[in-house]
Amino acid sequence: MRHPQTAPAPLQRPAAAAAQRDCARRRSRCRPRPAPATTAAAAAAAEPLVTERELQIKISVAASTGRLDLSDLRLAALPEALWELADLEELSLSGNELPELPEGLARLTSLRRLVLAGNRLRALPGDALGALPGLEGLWAHGNAIEELGGGAEALTALKSLSLAGNRLERLPDCLGTLTALEDLSLSGNRLSAVPPAAASLPALRRLALNGNALREVPGEWEGAAGLEELHLQGNALTAVPDGLTHLPALSELSLADNSISRLPPDLSGWRGLQKLHLYGNRLEQLPAAALLALPGLQQLWLEGNPLSTSAVDALLRGIADGAAPPTLRALGLDEGQLASSDAKLLEAARAARPGLLRAGIVAGGGPGYFKLQRGGSGGGSGSSSVDSSGNGHASSSSGSGSSGGEAPAPSSERVLVVAFGSAPGLPNWGGVLRQVQGSMEADGAVSAFDVLFVVDPFRDWYRGGDAAALESTYHSRLSEAAAGYGRVLMVGDSMGATAALLFSRLATAVLAFCPQVDLRSASIRPARPGAWLDALQANVHAALQQSPARVRVLTGTWQHDLAQASLLERHPNVTLKAYGVDSHRLALALARGGRLAPLLREAICNEAGLPSRNVRLANML
């Protein structure tokens, strides 16, 4: 079974022709749900994409394998024979039309993995779930769940729980009884508070609360001493409690895009911290010495804060004096923050740690990360800190936007690459774009492109279902940032790919990896009403109809993504391509296989009118 928030299945690499044939076969079987003009009632009454006989065969096979995949079949009800599979261990019901789960679920007492993502569920049947003591994974993201019923306290074996993109306003205290829980995703809900029990789960390793309405978090976290990742970006936090610093295993913490005005003075409890995202807050002062004393710190991002001159100078002085840890590879600041800094300190800091400072331009005012990186022209500039997936921030390593070599060419002669972030709500694409820049410079090519990183921290698909909000929060800023560029290439995957399509009017080329178009049928989606989801699809089509861009939509062979891509076939400027990767995480798979950077380089060179030493893009696809 497969769903978008788990690790991808092992990659398959058939020949391109075989992938294309598989794409065509799957497209013919996985018709998308009704278009926005169809009423919700008609959509609910649509016929399933499977016959009763086919269901019987699937259930018969599952009786011997212990696994049953009924995902993306447009089922509004489940066959009674399903509840007779007493030995069933894995069940996927994602991407259907289920309004509720029958009590028969309680009879599947051997169940270990249950996937319910992308249905119409408003509640989870607590009593039925409570009868599944061996359940280890429950994925129910992308529903309309408003509350968690009783019975969850019996899930003592549960390790992974995903409830992202629902309508939860509060969490039950019984959450604290899930002592085996390692991964808890609650992003994109309506939570205003987190119960203390959530901060005392002893096995918890990852907690995602981004894109909620949190005004505060628990003050004590020592009970979750093993926590390694904590995502709190895109909330309404104003302070960081001292107790949050008592997390010695924490390696990544995102507090970006809140209203935080103060950090605790003592940060010594974060001795394992590697990545700290603080951009887009209200910080004027910083505990600079405490930040630079973190022994394993690798990345510190502070852009978009109204930092005082003394705060910036304290950071620069620490770097110049050698106080920064040797592990630190990236300190993200914006040019506004550096404008009033001590020029000699700035020069000394750059000399002491070349390439450490990542300065860029914060474009416009509004929500989310919106940072322009000026690329070099032969001499190179963009630096980034990345992982193997190609994710990471990137910005110019020079306060002027160029770290060496010739000055950047005028914007009209350059390509602007707009890199949209996906649902996790953090900037990505920085790593792979740096690879592109490095390869172009190594070949003696002029890397005449800038990068604008854009992120929606609220997991709200860039306000795509509300035309007025879309214009005021993102489109107007993008239009201003793109003005003066002769060519604009937009890239994104998943939610970011949807954004690239939504704003394609401003582009001359688009690369969209596995976009979501019909969010009614998507497993990863925001907790928005059906009319809003329909409006987003209409806005995507309207943008493509008016777009001058050449749009390439790239997918793997996963049925869900092929169905989404097929909705775009009617646009003459859209080309669909399929890779032999049976996963939603196509961009990640291509990056790991070394194929993403050449693909992006080809697209950038095409826009810049430069020859590329890659194989032709058509051959790669």
Side-chain angles (χ1 to χ4, degrees):
M1 288 186 298
R2 180 181 60 260
H3 52 93
Q5 293 197 358
T6 60
L11 301 184
Q12 304 172 19
R13 293 185 172 86
Q20 295 285 5
R21 289 194 300 271
D22 191 41
C23 173
R25 284 197 306 270
R26 288 173 180 262
R27 259 192 229 144
S28 67
R29 295 191 59 210
C30 52
R31 293 168 289 153
R33 292 182 183 174
T38 306
T39 65
E47 293 185 1
L49 300 179
V50 64
T51 66
E52 289 188 13
R53 175 60 178 162
E54 289 171 331
L55 277 177
Q56 292 173 2
I57 293 174
K58 286 177 176 286
I59 291 173
S60 177
V61 172
S64 59
T65 64
R67 300 178 179 180
L68 180 58
D69 187 352
L70 298 179
S71 58
D72 299 307
L73 296 177
R74 203 184 285 159
L75 297 174
L78 298 171
E80 286 296 323
L82 170 58
W83 315 123
E84 304 299 326
L85 299 176
D87 295 328
L88 193 67
E89 295 185 354
E90 300 186 10
L91 174 61
S92 178
L93 300 170
S94 64
N96 284 294
E97 306 278 355
L98 300 173
E100 60 183 2
L101 290 176
E103 291 299 322
L105 180 66
R107 295 156 63 183
L108 304 181
T109 54
S110 298
L111 210 58
R112 293 189 299 108
R113 293 167 56 90
L114 177 59
V115 187
L116 302 171
N119 278 282
R120 306 274 187 253
L121 302 176
R122 291 188 174 274
L124 291 178
D127 293 341
L129 290 175
L132 308 176
L135 195 65
E136 297 177 359
L138 173 59
W139 294 270
H141 48 274
N143 280 281
I145 298 170
E146 298 176 351
E147 62 178 354
L148 300 180
E153 63 272 9
L155 300 177
T156 55
L158 196 65
K159 296 180 180 180
S160 295
L161 175 59
S162 177
L163 294 168
N166 279 287
R167 300 176 184 175
L168 294 170
E169 296 184 358
R170 60 179 298 274
L171 297 173
D173 291 333
C174 69
L175 201 65
T177 64
L178 306 182
T179 54
L181 198 60
E182 298 177 359
D183 190 331
L184 176 57
S185 179
L186 295 163
S187 57
N189 278 280
R190 302 172 181 177
L191 300 171
S192 58
V194 180
S200 60
L201 295 169
L204 197 62
R205 297 293 179 266
R206 178 181 177 274
L207 176 58
L209 287 161
N210 50 294
N212 277 280
L214 298 177
R215 296 188 176 277
E216 61 181 5
V217 294
E220 299 297 330
W221 290 78
E222 292 181 346
L227 190 63
E228 297 173 0
E229 290 184 31
L230 178 57
H231 299 278
L232 291 165
Q233 67 270 23
N235 280 285
L237 302 176
T238 58
V240 179
D242 292 345
L244 191 63
T245 65
H246 300 156
L247 291 170
L250 196 64
S251 63
E252 181 168 9
L253 171 62
S254 179
L255 294 164
D257 281 301
N258 280 282
S259 298
I260 297 169
S261 59
R262 174 189 172 276
L263 294 177
D266 183 5
L267 306 179
S268 59
W270 285 342
R271 55 181 177 270
L273 195 62
Q274 298 176 11
K275 302 176 184 178
L276 179 56
H277 310 271
L278 291 168
Y279 59 82
N281 278 287
R282 298 180 181 177
L283 294 168
E284 296 182 8
Q285 300 297 329
L286 294 171
L291 286 168
L292 296 180
L294 296 175
L297 190 63
Q298 298 176 8
Q299 305 175 24
L300 174 59
W301 305 99
L302 294 164
E303 305 94 318
N305 282 284
L307 294 178
S308 66
T309 300
S310 61
V312 176
D313 284 351
L315 287 171
L316 297 177
R317 185 176 296 107
I319 295 170
D321 293 345
T327 55
L328 188 62
R329 302 197 307 265
L331 171 58
L333 296 168
D334 63 61
E335 293 186 0
Q337 293 166 337
L338 290 171
S340 60
S341 63
D342 186 296
K344 291 184 178 179
L345 275 179
L346 181 57
E347 183 179 356
R350 286 182 175 143
R353 296 287 294 273
L356 175 62
L357 294 180
R358 311 293 178 82
I361 301 170
V362 173
Y369 193 82
F370 222 88
K371 184 175 178 180
L372 178 66
Q373 165 198 334
R374 295 288 192 186
S377 180
S381 66
S383 298
S384 67
S385 46
V386 301
D387 55 30
S388 61
S389 69
N391 293 340
H393 300 256
S395 58
S396 169
S397 58
S398 162
S400 65
S402 177
S403 66
E406 304 172 23
S411 295
S412 61
E413 301 176 14
R414 301 174 66 80
V415 175
L416 176 65
V417 178
V418 182
F420 291 100
S422 52
L426 292 171
N428 53 3
W429 297 97
V432 68
L433 288 170
R434 176 160 169 75
Q435 293 176 34
V436 171
Q437 187 176 56
S439 70
M440 292 175 71
E441 292 169 354
D443 291 343
V446 178
S447 56
F449 69 94
D450 301 336
V451 183
L452 177 65
F453 294 91
V454 183
V455 175
D456 172 6
F458 306 110
R459 201 182 179 277
D460 200 28
W461 271 252
Y462 294 84
R463 312 287 173 88
D466 183 332
L470 183 74
E471 170 63 30
S472 63
T473 54
Y474 292 102
H475 191 277
S476 59
R477 285 192 289 166
L478 280 168
S479 180
E480 182 179 352
Y485 285 91
R487 312 294 293 178
V488 178
L489 168 65
M490 293 185 172
V491 299
D493 74 293
S494 193
M495 184 182 83
T498 304
L501 300 178
L502 280 167
F503 302 112
S504 60
R505 292 185 184 92
L506 303 173
T508 53
V510 171
L511 286 179
F513 295 80
C514 303
Q516 289 121 350
V517 181
D518 175 15
L519 287 179
R520 279 184 179 268
S521 63
S523 298
I524 303 177
R525 61 188 179 197
R528 289 285 195 169
W532 192 97
L533 304 180
D534 291 343
L536 181 141
Q537 182 176 174
N539 289 336
V540 166
H541 288 299
L544 289 172
Q545 287 171 356
Q546 300 174 26
S547 174
R550 292 172 291 107
V551 179
R552 295 188 181 97
V553 175
L554 313 177
T555 76
T557 54
W558 183 32
Q559 174 180 322
H560 173 83
D561 286 338
L562 290 169
Q564 294 286 321
S566 70
L567 293 167
L568 304 172
E569 288 180 311
R570 73 192 204 206
H571 298 286
N573 56 335
V574 173
T575 302
L576 306 183
K577 297 292 182 181
Y579 284 84
V581 176
D582 196 23
S583 169
H584 182 66
R585 296 180 175 181
L586 174 62
L588 174 61
L590 293 176
R592 288 177 172 172
R595 294 188 286 172
L596 185 59
L599 194 157
L600 289 171
R601 171 173 170 160
E602 182 78 21
I604 292 170
C605 287
N606 285 343
E607 292 307 295
L610 298 173
S612 172
R613 297 188 181 181
N614 297 339
V615 296
R616 289 181 57 83
L617 183 61
N619 294 338
M620 291 183 60
L621 296 173

